[in-house]
């Protein structure tokens, strides 16, 4: 593994994203959010859109996991769903590109294996991360050659909606770690430092934390909900 990725080992990656309907939606703000994450000790950044990534690079020199979220009417896949989004990201070449690696059909009518073969044929030297929702998806992503296996979508697909990444002491992660050959990046609902530390102890290469750090509306809601529940 190259030195820039070795620097991610056992470290925190902060997801700096804000969609159009969120209060902090702004490339400038995401750039400053990335700088704050860097000053807090983050070793990497996960970011959405070319514009945000370019702004983030003005503020930090950390490795970036780049994605483009794009909604298509004919598919539930929206994280870097087609070659068009990969092409756009390759114009700026983030260190890692993450794509939806679920079993769902993609907007172009392909499934993951066929899609990834096309991507790797076009960009053989680029590093890719698989955003998975089940153990089976992680195993397939590992088999077809993704460089990093992520748990990003556990609980976010219709067939994994009842799964929780942290349940039974991260059972899903432990199963994946036992069976894959590529580094595993833990991501999804890791909302307290203790969980982040635990997944690294279990053997994850690194851990991505997003909303618990970079979405103040969600952080605020946790506090207000606690006060409401405490008053009942």
């Amino acid at each position: 593994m190259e030195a820039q990725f070795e620097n991610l080992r056992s470290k925190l990656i902060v997801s700096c994203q804000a969609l159009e309907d969120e209060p902090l939606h702004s490339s400038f703000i995401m750039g400053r959010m990335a700088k704050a994450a860097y000053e807090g000790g983050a070793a990497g950044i996960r970011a959405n859109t070319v514009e945000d990534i370019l702004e983030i690079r003005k503020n930090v020199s950390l490795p970036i996991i780049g994605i483009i979220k794009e909604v298509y009417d004919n598919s539930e896949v929206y994280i870097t769903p087609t070659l068009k989004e990969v092409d756009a990201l390759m114009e700026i070449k983030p260190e890692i590109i993450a794509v939806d690696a679920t079993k769902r059909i993609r907007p172009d009518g392909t499934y993951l294996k066929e899609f990834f073969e096309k991507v790797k044929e076009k960009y053989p030297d680029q590093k890719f991360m698989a955003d998975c929702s089940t153990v089976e998806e992680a195993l397939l992503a590992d088999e077809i050659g993704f460089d990093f296996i992520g748990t990003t979508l556990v609980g976010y697909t219709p067939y994994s909606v009842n799964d929780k990444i942290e349940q039974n002491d991260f059972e899903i992660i432990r199963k994946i770690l036992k069976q894959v050959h590529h580094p595993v990046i833990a991501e999804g609902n890791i909302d307290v430092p203790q969980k982040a530390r635990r997944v690294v102890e279990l053997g994850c290469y690194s851990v991505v934390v997003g909303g618990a750090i970079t979405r103040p509306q969600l952080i605020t809601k946790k506090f207000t909900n606690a006060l409401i529940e405490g008053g009942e």
Side-chain angles (χ1 to χ4, degrees):
M1 193 67 67
E2 293 92 332
Q4 62 181 332
F5 301 117
E6 279 296 323
N7 291 336
L8 294 176
R9 188 184 294 274
S10 301
K11 298 291 180 60
L12 175 68
I13 299 167
V14 174
S15 181
C16 297
Q17 300 181 45
L19 300 178
E20 291 184 6
D21 61 346
E22 295 184 80
L24 298 190
H25 177 67
S26 160
S27 294
F28 173 78
I29 292 175
M30 289 303 102
R32 305 306 291 180
M33 190 72 79
K35 182 172 176 60
Y38 167 73
E39 292 185 0
I45 302 294
R46 179 169 165 128
N48 173 39
T49 76
V50 168
E51 295 77 14
D52 281 12
I53 293 170
L54 290 173
E55 184 64 30
I56 287 167
R57 281 181 170 165
K58 294 177 184 177
N59 288 270
V60 300
S61 57
L62 299 175
I64 293 174
I65 300 173
I67 65 171
I68 292 179
K69 290 181 176 177
E70 190 68 48
V71 176
Y72 289 83
D73 292 337
N74 63 335
S75 174
E76 295 179 320
V77 174
Y78 66 92
I79 298 177
T80 322
T82 74
L83 189 57
K84 175 184 175 183
E85 288 78 37
V86 176
D87 287 340
L89 287 167
M90 286 303 297
E91 290 292 320
I92 58 169
K93 295 182 179 177
E95 285 73 16
I96 301 168
I97 291 176
V99 306
D100 179 303
T102 66
K103 65 183 182 181
R104 299 174 293 184
I105 193 167
R106 311 185 82 84
D108 61 4
T110 65
Y111 289 95
L112 179 66
K113 188 175 186 292
E114 180 184 355
F115 167 72
F116 191 60
E117 285 173 351
K118 292 178 182 177
V119 168
K120 285 299 287 184
E121 181 179 4
K122 190 169 185 179
Y123 302 113
D125 299 323
Q126 174 64 33
K127 300 294 185 184
F128 288 93
M129 173 176 169
D131 287 350
C132 305
S133 71
T134 66
V135 174
E136 291 72 24
E137 289 169 352
L139 295 180
L140 176 60
D142 184 63
E143 177 186 335
I144 64 179
F146 275 88
D147 302 282
F148 299 92
I149 309 301
T151 57
T152 316
L153 292 173
V154 173
Y156 292 100
T157 54
Y159 47 87
S160 74
V161 69
N162 293 320
D163 296 328
K164 304 295 181 185
I165 191 174
E166 72 274 24
Q167 69 184 1
N168 300 322
D169 189 26
F170 297 99
E171 181 180 9
I172 288 177
I173 285 179
R174 288 188 282 113
K175 286 181 178 179
I176 292 172
L177 285 166
K178 286 181 179 178
Q179 299 178 73
V180 302
H181 301 288
H182 293 91
V184 174
I185 296 179
E187 181 175 6
N189 290 308
I190 299 174
D191 52 4
V192 295
Q194 293 80 4
K195 291 181 184 179
R197 181 178 180 86
R198 181 56 178 155
V199 295
V200 170
E201 289 174 345
L202 290 172
C204 288
Y205 193 80
S206 52
V207 54
V208 176
V209 177
I213 295 174
T214 58
R215 284 192 162 102
Q217 74 273 25
L218 300 182
I219 300 167
T220 302
K221 191 170 181 59
K222 282 190 175 183
F223 282 89
T224 56
N225 284 348
L227 293 176
I228 293 169
E229 292 166 2
E232 292 178 351

